[in-house]
Amino acid sequence: GKWKDYVDLYFIFKHYFSFNEVTSRSREIFGESFNEKLFRQQLAYFDDISFAEEVEYVSTQIPKQDIKNYLIEISLTPF
């Protein structure tokens, strides 16, 4: 995955839509093809991330560890 995608998800969850709103809409769009458990696992998996593409922040840059911690927290929220 690309780090930029994780940064985008961070801001989406932090400022725009809850995890439940995103997963609900994903089920509407993708039906049975959407796997919430897999999505949760992917939110907290950072081993294969590419940092090659630079992320341009609109405001203050968020430390990578803060983004990782927040996405891990989201991934562990009860169903």
Side-chain angles (χ1 to χ4, degrees):
K2 296 180 181 179
W3 178 244
K4 181 181 180 295
D5 297 334
Y6 286 86
V7 174
D8 289 342
L9 286 168
Y10 169 86
F11 282 102
I12 288 169
F13 291 134
K14 192 85 171 172
H15 300 290
Y16 298 100
F17 299 100
S18 71
F19 180 82
N20 288 336
E21 289 172 319
V22 171
T23 56
S24 176
R25 184 71 174 126
S26 297
R27 278 191 291 279
E28 289 175 17
I29 294 170
F30 300 108
E32 295 297 317
S33 296
F34 177 72
N35 183 323
E36 182 176 334
K37 182 178 179 182
L38 181 59
F39 183 49
R40 287 174 180 272
Q41 290 171 341
Q42 291 167 335
L43 281 178
Y45 184 78
F46 306 105
D47 290 347
D48 66 349
I49 290 179
S50 169
F51 294 97
E53 185 178 352
E54 187 175 333
V55 175
E56 293 182 33
Y57 292 84
V58 174
S59 59
T60 307
Q61 183 172 344
I62 310 297
K64 285 183 177 112
Q65 195 58 50
D66 289 356
I67 292 172
K68 288 179 180 182
N69 290 344
Y70 186 74
L71 293 176
I72 290 168
E73 181 183 320
I74 293 284
S75 76
L76 297 174
T77 58
F79 285 79

